[in-house]
Amino acid sequence: MRTLYHHPLCPFSRLVRVVLAEKKLEFDLQIEKFWERRSDFIALNSAGEVPVLVEEGGTALADAAAIAEYLDEVHREPPLLPADPLARAEVRRLVGWFGGKFHAEVTDNLVGEKVFKRLSTAHGEPDSRRIRAGYANIHEHLDYVVWLTERRAWLAGPVFTLADIAAAAQLSCVDYVGDVPWENHPGAKDWYVRVKSRPSFRALLADHLPGVPPPRHYADLDF
Amino acid sequence: MRTLYHHPLCPFSRLVRVVLAEKKLEFDLQIEKFWERRSDFIALNSAGEVPVLVEEGGTALADAAAIAEYLDEVHREPPLLPADPLARAEVRRLVGWFGGKFHAEVTDNLVGEKVFKRLSTAHGEPDSRRIRAGYANIHEHLDYVVWLTERRAWLAGPVFTLADIAAAAQLSCVDYVGDVPWENHPGAKDWYVRVKSRPSFRALLADHLPGVPPPRHYADLDF
């Protein structure tokens, strides 16, 4: 059986979990406290980061986007990237946007400070300036989601793709800590409800981190 | 003619320049002072970041990895990703490593603080703590390059790939500001000399930013 080393509130792990579920692939989940830098885990991924996917033969894959592209190449149905090169580039641009810009400006400031800093006590107290920056930055990103979905059925074009998964993976972590101002961005909420309603998202909505309960609306499909 | 909006010391722009040169594709280079957030440029890429590639028909592509994959799909020769899915995943893992981890831990601390902060005066004085962090972090990354090249001819396997381009694009920017301790990591230097000797790298070695001259060894192939 393939094994995914992950953390429930790591957005990149969530991306891979949704890809595996969309492809209807079976896998074992193994929570990795990556901040402890366990040597057996470092041997799987020198970067010391989750997610890591270990395939049945024992091959370890790291980097969420690399894992997602690999799974999409090996298990074609349903395709999570379109066939046209320009359309694929648009999906990848958005995967890069949410994994890079959104993560740095929002997720890392909010989930990073509020959850991971507390878990890995070595890194000290949450930084209130970073938390405030996260609160401020998220609006621009939600506006961008609205802008995109006013022009397209899904973020990267007419069909659901890896771009939607990448964006929802980040937003779902921020939503877990109750920090997505959905009421100010109804268009973004409409899109998120559609993603959240997919069977592939179900396991994420059942996540429950001990000591860090999600807000009541987190798993609610009609929030 | 296709146009690449870039900045000479942006490692992501350099990645795309080398890919275009490897594929022997003609292009115009347009320097973009992205920190000025010119509205016509924001219209090409909402992220406001270089590189942006505008194809002959006017289609704009953003995100260096997305552009590189697009070019590799449309212009197959020479391939910059191998055919095997696991081998492709390894290339993408390393493209992610150098564009994410290396950039955040090294390039952004050194080139970001020393060059881009001075160019975009709004962001204030270089932060000496970040510069010291960059000096400290680069050793681990150079050790990793050595570890990889002791096991493989090139970073991701037996052939030259996008992983080598991504790594050399970052390192060449740090080398431009004279901050790569090559003498402590001869194995990494051997690999870099091989990349640097490729015709596709020539234009980068001729870069000269007004007021920020490169060190003497920068363009030297036998440094």
Side-chain angles (χ1 to χ4, degrees):
Chain A
M1 177 75 90
R2 65 172 64 77
T3 302
L4 183 70
Y5 292 83
H6 83 126
H7 189 279
L9 285 192
C10 160
F12 301 100
S13 303
R14 286 181 165 224
L15 182 156
V16 175
R17 287 166 70 194
V18 175
V19 169
L20 286 163
E22 285 284 337
K23 302 279 183 187
K24 299 194 169 45
L25 298 170
E26 296 199 5
F27 60 103
D28 279 334
L29 270 178
Q30 187 85 41
I31 293 183
E32 180 66 37
K33 298 177 179 174
F34 54 90
W35 55 89
E36 293 180 352
R37 298 189 63 78
R38 192 166 60 85
S39 61
D40 284 358
F41 181 66
I42 302 292
L44 292 177
N45 179 16
S46 328
E49 293 162 359
V50 283
V52 171
L53 181 68
V54 179
E55 284 283 70
E56 212 133 346
T59 308
L61 295 109
D63 183 290
I67 296 171
E69 296 251 10
Y70 165 79
L71 291 170
D72 201 56
E73 288 175 358
V74 175
H75 308 279
R76 308 301 287 262
E77 293 301 326
L80 297 175
L81 285 104
D84 173 64
L86 275 176
R88 293 165 73 79
E90 178 62 355
V91 172
R92 289 178 176 132
R93 178 183 75 82
L94 289 168
V95 171
W97 176 298
F98 286 96
K101 196 170 167 63
F102 185 98
H103 180 259
E105 297 178 358
V106 180
T107 321
D108 203 31
N109 282 331
L110 297 174
V111 184
E113 291 297 319
K114 292 183 176 187
V115 178
F116 288 110
K117 224 174 206 177
R118 286 187 197 278
L119 290 172
S120 58
T121 44
H123 293 91
E125 283 299 297
D127 180 338
S128 60
R129 280 174 317 174
R130 293 198 61 200
I131 291 174
R132 279 199 303 275
Y135 289 151
N137 295 337
I138 196 169
H139 291 285
E140 191 193 334
H141 287 280
L142 290 169
D143 283 343
Y144 191 49
V145 167
V146 173
W147 189 89
L148 290 169
T149 52
E150 279 170 358
R151 284 155 182 82
R152 309 159 168 184
W154 295 93
L155 293 191
V159 295
F160 176 83
T161 67
L162 190 58
D164 298 286
I165 299 176
Q170 297 287 332
L171 275 161
S172 69
C173 290
V174 182
D175 199 35
Y176 188 100
V177 296
D179 285 346
V180 184
W182 294 117
E183 58 291 350
N184 301 124
H185 307 272
K189 181 174 165 175
D190 289 348
W191 160 81
Y192 186 62
V193 167
R194 285 190 286 138
V195 179
K196 199 172 163 175
S197 308
R198 298 177 76 88
S200 62
F201 227 72
R202 220 167 274 158
L204 272 58
L205 301 179
D207 276 344
H208 197 103
L209 203 67
V212 191
R216 215 184 314 171
H217 77 263
Y218 171 71
D220 187 353
L221 296 182
D222 309 301
F223 67 116
Chain B
M1 176 77 89
R2 66 172 65 78
T3 302
L4 183 71
Y5 291 83
H6 83 125
H7 189 279
L9 285 193
C10 160
F12 301 100
S13 303
R14 287 181 163 223
L15 181 155
V16 176
R17 287 165 70 194
V18 175
V19 169
L20 287 162
E22 285 284 337
K23 302 280 183 186
K24 299 194 169 42
L25 298 170
E26 295 199 4
F27 59 104
D28 279 334
L29 270 178
Q30 186 84 41
I31 293 184
E32 181 65 36
K33 297 177 179 175
F34 54 90
W35 55 90
E36 294 180 352
R37 298 188 63 78
R38 193 166 60 85
S39 61
D40 284 357
F41 182 65
I42 302 292
L44 291 177
N45 179 16
S46 327
E49 293 163 357
V50 284
V52 171
L53 181 68
V54 179
E55 284 283 71
E56 211 133 347
T59 309
L61 294 110
D63 183 290
I67 297 171
E69 296 252 8
Y70 165 79
L71 291 171
D72 200 56
E73 288 174 0
V74 175
H75 307 278
R76 308 301 288 261
E77 294 299 325
L80 296 176
L81 284 103
D84 173 64
L86 275 177
R88 293 165 73 78
E90 178 63 355
V91 171
R92 289 177 176 132
R93 177 182 76 82
L94 289 168
V95 171
W97 178 297
F98 286 96
K101 198 172 165 64
F102 185 97
H103 179 259
E105 296 178 358
V106 180
T107 320
D108 203 30
N109 282 331
L110 298 174
V111 184
E113 291 297 320
K114 293 183 176 186
V115 177
F116 289 110
K117 227 175 204 175
R118 287 186 197 277
L119 289 172
S120 58
T121 44
H123 292 91
E125 282 300 297
D127 180 338
S128 60
R129 278 174 318 173
R130 294 197 60 201
I131 291 174
R132 278 199 302 276
Y135 289 152
N137 295 337
I138 196 169
H139 291 286
E140 192 192 332
H141 287 279
L142 290 169
D143 283 343
Y144 191 48
V145 167
V146 172
W147 189 89
L148 291 169
T149 52
E150 278 170 358
R151 285 153 181 82
R152 310 159 166 183
W154 296 93
L155 292 191
V159 295
F160 176 83
T161 67
L162 190 56
D164 298 286
I165 298 176
Q170 296 287 333
L171 275 161
S172 70
C173 290
V174 182
D175 199 34
Y176 188 100
V177 296
D179 285 346
V180 184
W182 295 117
E183 58 291 349
N184 301 124
H185 307 272
K189 180 174 166 176
D190 289 347
W191 161 82
Y192 187 62
V193 167
R194 284 189 287 138
V195 180
K196 200 172 164 176
S197 309
R198 299 177 76 88
S200 63
F201 227 72
R202 220 167 273 157
L204 272 60
L205 300 179
D207 277 343
H208 196 104
L209 202 67
V212 191
R216 212 182 321 169
H217 77 263
Y218 171 72
D220 187 352
L221 296 181
D222 307 300
F223 70 113

